[in-house]
Amino acid sequence: MWQNSPPGSLYDHIRVASFSLGPDGRIDQWSERAAELFGIGARQAVGRDPLEILAPVADGRRGRHPAAPFLTEGGLDGRAWTGLVPYQRDGDRQEGLAEIYVMPSENGRGDRAALCVAVDVRALRGIETDIAASEAVFGQSPLGFFFFGTDLRLLRVNESFAQTFGRPSAWHRGRTPHDFLPRTEADRLTAALRQVLDTGKPVADVQLVGPVPGHNERRRWSVSLYRLHSGSGRPIGVAAIATDVTGRRRAEREAAGVRRNLALLNEAGARIGNSLDLEKTARELLDVAVPQFCDLASVDLYQGLLVGDEAPPGLADGSAELRRVAYSSAVSGAPVTGSGPKPVQVGEVHRYAFHSPCAQALRTAHVQVVPGRESEDGDGGLGAVVQSTLAVPMVARDAVLGIAQFSRTKGSEPFGERDTALAVELAARAAVCIDNARLYRREHERALILQRSLLPPGDPEAAGVEIACRYLPGNAATEVGGDWFDVIELPGHRTALVVGDVMGRGLRAAVAMGELRTAVRTLAMLDLEPAEVLSALDEIAHGLGRPGGKQSASRGVRGSVRPADLSEVYLATCVYAVYDPVTRRCTVANAGHLPPVLVEAGEPAMLLEVPPGMPLGVGGEPFEETEIELPDGALLALYTDGLVESRDHPLDEGLHAFREALSDPERPLEDVCDHVLSALDTHHGEDDIALLMARLRGLRPGCVGDWTLPPEPRSVARARELARRQLEGWELGDLVDTTELLVSELVTNALRYGEGEIRLRLLLDRTLVCEVWDSGHVQPRRRRARDTDEGGRGLQLVGLLSAAWGSRRIPHGKTVWFELGLPDGDSPAPDAVEALLSLY
C-alpha cells in the first residue's frame, strides 16, 4: 500500500538529493532535491557536465577537480564510487560538502549510465550529533526519562527510570502504568497521560506512591508530563520525567513535624499556667495536646500531694493513690482506661497496678510507650482503636507529681522519638505550673486558716449591742489580706468595736494583722482609753518586721526614729470605739482610718467627726479621741476602704453611695449588711472588704442598780442588803448568797485599801456584773494565803466563785468587778460553802 511520505520525515532532515548521468557522462536527470541542494534548477543542469555544477576549482582546469575521475568514469566503467565532494551553490557562492554515491546502471538501449545520490554532509553530521546528544541525555541523566506512545504504552525508558522502579529497562517496553504501579496510582497516571495527550498542556509534579521490588519501604515519585510532536507538529506520544522524592518527602514531613512541635511549644508557653488552679492548669495542657498532638489524653496527680502531704505513702514505688484531674478526647466521651478494665472518671481516685507501664513510669520518672491492645470488657471500646500511648511522668523540682497519658488512635501517625521528646517537654512545663499552684494552694490555705482563726466568730454578741459583720476577700488569688474587725467585751458590759487594715496582701499582711489584733485584745483588757490603745498599738506596729521585734532604725534629721529598711515597714489604719450601754456614750479614736458612719432614726447617715490621726507604724504623733452620746436604736458602721473605693469611682462617690445605702436603718441588721453589699460595687476584686455594723440598744430599763456608800464598816452590811434586794427584784434568788459573799469581800477591800466614798453598781444583761468603785489607785493583787494566815483569801474566793473578775483604772480611782453567769436550770449556781472550804 503506497502513501505519501509524511512531512517532517527523516529524509527532510538529512536533505537527500539524486541525479543521473548518461552514457556521455553528462547529466540527463536532475531531481528537485538536487536543485534545492546545489541551487541549480533542472533546466540549467540537464546536459551539463556535473563538474560544472559542483563548481570547478580555482585554476579552472577540469582534470584537477577531486571528483573528476569518478564523475567522468565512475559508474560508466561499471564500478561504484563513494566520496566527499565539495561544491559551491550557484548564485550565493555558498560552499558546501556533499557525500555522493555513484552507482552503475544501464539505459533502455543497454548503454552504460550512472545513478548518483548526494547527501549534505553538514546536515547529516548535525543529525548524528543531535542523536548522540539525545542518547547521552537520555541514557546518562540521573532523572528517570520514559516515553509513552499514543496508545499509552511505554516505548522507551532510560536506566535511571528502570532503577527507580526496580525493573530492567527492556522489561518496561510495551507496558502500561498498571504493570508497574498499584491500581489507584496507575489510574491517576493514566488519567494524567490521557489529559496531556488530548490537551497538549504539560502536567507537573504528579505524586505517585508504590512499592519497589526488593524493598519494604514504599517509595514516592514526582512525575512531570509533556506531549511529543513530529517535525510537522503531529502528536506522537508523551514524554515524562520521574524523580524519586521519598527522601525529600520524609525531610519535608520531619520539617513539618518540627514546625508543628515548635508551634505546640509556643502555644503551650502561652496557654499553660495562666492561673494558680491545679485542675485548670491540667485542662490547659490537654487543650494544647488534643487534637494537635494526640487523640486522647488524661492527667492523674497524686492524691496525697493535692491534699498537702509532702510525701504520701507509696510515692516512691508509684503505688500511691492518684486522682484524675483532667481528660480530653477527640474520639469519644469515654476516659482512657486507668488501672483496670473500668474507665476512670474525672475526679475519681484510683491506683495503677504495680507492674503496669504507668506505675513503672511513676517509679522511674521515665517515659513508657504503651502499645495498643485488643478491646476488653468495660473499657469503653477504646482498646480496639488506640494505637499506642505515651505514659509521661510529670516531674517538677526532682519530684514526681503524677502522670500524663497521650494516646493516638489506629490510623494516626505513630509516636516517634521527636513526639516523645515533645510529650516530655509539654508534661514538664505543666508540671512546674501545677507544682507552683500546689505550693501556692498549700501556703494560701495555711494563711487563710491563720487569718480566719484571727477573725471573730460569725455572730459576735455584746451587751446592749446588736452586731452584724461581713468579710469579703478581694478575689480568690488575694483572699489572704490584712483587713480585720473585732468585737471585744469589756468590763461593765461595755463593748469595743475595732476595724483595721494592714497595707498589703498575702501572708505577710495576714501575720501582721494577727499580731495587731492580738495586741488590740490585750490592750483592751487593760481597760485603757481608746487613744491610749492606739498609742500603744502604734509602738507595736512600729517594731513589727524587725529581728526580735527590735526597732533597727536610724535617727532622722528631726530626731525621730525611722526604719532603716522601708520595705519592712508595717503600716496599718485602725478605728477603735468603746460603747457603754449604761451611759449610752461612745468614745472613738482613729489612726488614719476612714471615719465611722452614724445613722440615727429619722436622720440621714453622716460621717462622725473624728480626728483622723496618723496610720499605725508611723510613730511620733499622739492620738485624739471623741466622746459622743448616742440614742437607743442608733446605727454605727465601721468599714475598710475596699467597700467604698475602687478604680472605677473616687472615694467621695463611694462614701456617698455607702451613706445612701444606710438610709433605712430600721430593717433587720443582717438585711442592712446585705443591702449595703448589693448596692455598692463589692466585686471589683481590688481590695478586701470588712464591714462591722452595730445597732446600739443600751441596757434595758431597770437593769442597773447604782448606790453610793460612805467609807465606814457598816457599809459592808448595807452593800449586802442592797445586793440582795436588787437580785430578788430581778428574780435571781439563786445568785443571792454568792453575790452577797463576793460583794462583802470587795467592799471590805475598798474600806481597807481604798480611799473616799464607795460606789456599788449591779448590771444585768446576758450576765450579772458587780462593780465596786473607790478613789484609791492601788490595784488589788491576788496572792496565795498560807494555811496559818487569817486573811488574804478574799480575791481567791472571788476567783473561785465568779466567772471572771478584774480591776481597771478610772479617772478618779479604780473599779474592782466580778461577773456571774445567769442560772439556766441546767448549770447550778456556784456553792459558796464548798468554795470556802476549798481555801483551807
Side-chain angles (χ1 to χ4, degrees), residues 168-180:
S169 56
W171 180 89
H172 290 87
R173 292 177 182 174
R175 303 284 183 173
T176 67
H178 290 83
D179 295 324
F180 57 90

Side-chain angles (χ1 to χ4, degrees), residues 271-285:
R271 297 180 59 182
I272 298 176
N274 291 324
S275 69
L276 291 172
D277 183 84
L278 290 170
E279 290 77 8
K280 185 176 180 181
T281 302
R283 289 194 300 269
E284 290 170 347
L285 168 63

